């Protein structure tokens, strides 16, 4: 025994006792989850209820008195729910790969580790995996706080019949990853176009002569950096660990509040939670006052809009699709009434789903 360890023995004994109690309680919780699974099997109810899991997290964060921070509480209980859920069914979740992308990080953040994560080469493939029942859900990036929306995702939302079942907000912390020992050795920086844009000022100030090469994902850039000592990648901690690279610089994003919002798509219609968001795609004829009339039902019924974005409809007649997020669930009376009026005054109406807003 090391000097002074005898002073820690009573505290360690208490921790061992508590750990045994936690283990017993975790297995009690797992047993209850199995019982719920048996009831669900009889009624063919879905294994995962995103609104229920969101409410559990919200309640625990309200009850949390520390010293563990809220972020740790959320992480721990996401994993507990993931492990209990896996006793019923191992979910398959598709995402834009390869391994080491921020999309993969968003998968773990929302679903926990007790799932099968399925990397895909394109966003279309990730969505297609759910449409063809090869995956239960997919996670795709929607928008970045610095660089705006992902246009391909907007197109896919228009085309697919899948629903948004949840959203994930992920803080983006970029590292410069390489096998080189100094910036002077690096001749090329590879990353997704948005990552290059998010680090524009840092690259100009610190690596003005390095070639910037846009690739399909930050993980693809990390793979290239793994193979060539003169290449650096812009990626996150997961990519660093996955590809065994060294961070020559950290926090290189120009905006330190940089976040990306991801959507979880599936066939499941989420129920009402304590704080929901609903997303639509709308279109109106190219006539004076048409957009005003489109938005009027929301104001009339007291529905708050949190996002409004237009995208060309590609008809050649200067018409647009409008992507709108509002607060509330489509089954709640006020929003239900607004939706009925929206359907009457729009030439195109698509509800992408209601889902629990990010905790």
């Amino acid at each position: 025994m090391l000097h002074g360890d005898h002073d820690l023995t009573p505290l360690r004994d208490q921790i061992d006792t508590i750990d045994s109690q936690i283990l017993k309680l975790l297995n009690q919780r797992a047993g209850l989850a199995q019982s719920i699974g048996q009831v669900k099997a009889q009624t063919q109810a879905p294994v995962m209820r995103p609104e229920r899991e969101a409410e559990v997290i919200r309640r625990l964060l309200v009850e949390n008195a520390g010293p563990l921070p809220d972020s740790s509480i959320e992480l721990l209980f996401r994993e507990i729910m993931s492990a209990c859920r896996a006793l019923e069914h191992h979910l398959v979740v598709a995402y834009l790969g390869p391994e080491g992308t921020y999309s993969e990080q968003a998968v773990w953040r929302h679903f926990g580790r007790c799932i099968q994560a399925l990397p895909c080469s394109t966003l279309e493939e990730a969505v297609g995996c759910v449409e063809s029942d090869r995956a239960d859900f997919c996670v795709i990036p929607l928008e970045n706080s610095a660089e705006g929306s992902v246009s391909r995702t907007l197109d896919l939302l228009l085309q697919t019949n899948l629903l948004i079942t949840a959203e994930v907000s992920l803080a983006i912390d970029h590292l410069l990853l390489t096998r080189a020992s100094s910036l002077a050795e690096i001749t090329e920086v590879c990353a997704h176009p948005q990552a290059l844009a998010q680090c524009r000022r840092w690259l100009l100030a610190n690596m003005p002569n390095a070639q910037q090469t846009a690739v399909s994902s930050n993980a693809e850039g990390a793979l290239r950096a793994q193979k060539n000592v003169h290449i650096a990648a812009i990626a996150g901690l997961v990519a660093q660990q996955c590809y065994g690279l060294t961070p020559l610089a950290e926090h290189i994003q120009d905006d330190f509040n940089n976040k990306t919002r991801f959507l979880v798509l599936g066939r499941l219609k989420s129920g009402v939670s304590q704080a929901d968001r609903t997303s639509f795609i709308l279109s109106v004829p190219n006539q004076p006052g048409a957009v005003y009339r489109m938005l009027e039902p929301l104001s009339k019924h007291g529905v708050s809009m949190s996002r409004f974005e237009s995208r060309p409809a590609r008809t050649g007649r200067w018409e647009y699709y409008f992507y709108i997020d509002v607060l509330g669930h489509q089954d709640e009376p006020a929003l239900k009434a607004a939706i009925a009026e929206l359907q009457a005054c729009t030439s195109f109406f698509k509800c992408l789903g209601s889902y629990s807003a990010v905790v």
Side-chain angles (χ1 to χ4, degrees):
M1 182 181 294
L2 296 174
H3 179 69
D5 270 11
H6 64 280
D7 296 331
L8 299 177
T9 299
L11 295 175
R12 286 173 172 165
D13 288 343
Q14 289 182 56
I15 287 177
D16 289 344
T17 300
I18 291 172
D19 284 346
S20 295
Q21 293 172 344
I22 291 173
L23 176 62
K24 183 178 179 179
L25 290 171
L26 284 174
N27 280 310
Q28 279 186 318
R29 189 191 195 283
L32 290 171
Q34 286 181 312
S35 298
I36 291 172
Q38 292 169 1
V39 174
K40 286 181 177 179
Q42 294 172 0
T43 60
Q44 296 186 329
V47 170
M48 185 175 188
R49 296 300 324 188
E51 72 279 5
R52 164 63 181 163
E53 294 192 2
E55 286 181 353
V56 169
I57 296 294
R58 286 195 183 97
R59 176 178 60 80
L60 292 169
L61 296 187
V62 170
E63 294 177 4
N64 182 32
L68 285 176
D70 285 352
S71 57
S72 296
I73 295 298
E74 180 177 356
L75 176 64
L76 287 169
F77 277 88
R78 289 279 185 197
E79 293 299 338
I80 290 171
M81 290 188 288
S82 181
C84 291
R85 195 192 316 121
L87 294 173
E88 301 177 54
H89 172 65
H90 256 87
L91 295 177
V92 179
V93 183
Y95 69 95
L96 179 62
E99 294 179 3
T101 60
Y102 285 110
S103 292
E104 182 187 34
Q105 193 173 334
V107 169
W108 302 134
R109 170 76 179 274
H110 183 71
F111 289 96
R113 293 275 174 169
C114 295
I115 62 160
Q116 179 187 343
L118 182 62
C120 299
S121 58
T122 64
L123 291 173
E124 289 86 347
E125 182 185 351
V127 171
C129 282
V130 185
E131 292 175 331
S132 61
D133 294 325
R134 287 177 290 157
D136 299 288
F137 298 96
C138 66
V139 174
I140 59 176
L142 174 65
E143 60 179 339
N144 176 264
S145 59
E147 295 301 313
S149 296
V150 179
S151 58
R152 191 66 198 115
T153 295
L154 297 182
D155 291 340
L156 288 169
L157 291 173
L158 182 64
Q159 297 163 9
T160 186
N161 290 323
L162 300 179
L163 298 173
I164 303 173
T165 65
E167 64 176 357
V168 185
S169 180
L170 195 68
I172 304 300
D173 188 10
H174 286 312
L175 312 174
L176 187 76
L177 303 177
T178 182
R179 288 171 46 217
S181 57
S182 69
L183 295 181
E185 295 179 57
I186 299 169
T187 59
E188 183 180 5
V189 178
C190 296
H192 187 275
Q194 280 209 343
L196 290 171
Q198 291 162 18
C199 303
R200 186 182 297 112
R201 291 199 299 271
W202 189 93
L203 290 172
L204 182 62
N206 295 276
M207 306 180 69
N209 298 319
Q211 175 184 331
Q212 296 182 25
T213 302
V215 293
S216 61
S217 69
N218 292 333
E220 170 64 23
L223 183 60
R224 294 192 184 194
Q226 185 188 56
K227 295 178 179 179
N228 189 329
V229 70
H230 298 296
I231 292 178
I234 297 173
L237 182 62
V238 173
Q240 177 199 340
Q241 297 168 341
C242 185
Y243 296 100
L245 298 169
T246 300
L248 278 190
E250 300 178 350
H251 318 303
I252 67 172
Q253 66 273 13
D254 297 332
D255 180 4
F256 287 96
N257 295 313
N258 190 12
K259 290 185 177 181
T260 294
R261 180 183 173 205
F262 295 84
L263 299 179
V264 179
L265 302 185
R267 301 188 185 280
L268 177 67
K269 180 182 177 182
S270 293
V272 178
S273 76
Q274 297 172 343
D276 292 304
R277 197 189 315 275
T278 301
S279 297
F280 304 104
I281 304 177
L282 310 174
S283 186
V284 292
N286 189 8
Q287 299 172 352
V291 174
Y292 171 80
R293 290 190 294 273
M294 178 183 74
L295 297 177
E296 192 175 22
L298 300 178
S299 175
K300 175 182 174 182
H301 293 281
V303 177
S304 178
M305 185 168 58
S306 58
R307 176 169 170 263
F308 182 88
E309 184 173 355
S310 64
R311 183 159 175 77
R314 300 176 183 172
T315 61
R317 298 192 297 270
W318 299 107
E319 295 175 330
Y320 293 85
Y321 288 115
F322 298 96
Y323 291 74
I324 298 175
D325 291 349
V326 300
L327 301 184
H329 194 284
Q330 60 187 311
D331 290 338
E332 293 174 332
L335 185 51
K336 198 169 186 178
I339 287 173
E341 293 185 25
L342 279 171
Q343 290 174 312
C345 71
T346 54
S347 57
F348 178 86
F349 175 91
K350 182 178 183 180
C351 181
L352 299 172
S354 296
Y355 47 95
S356 181
V358 167
V359 176

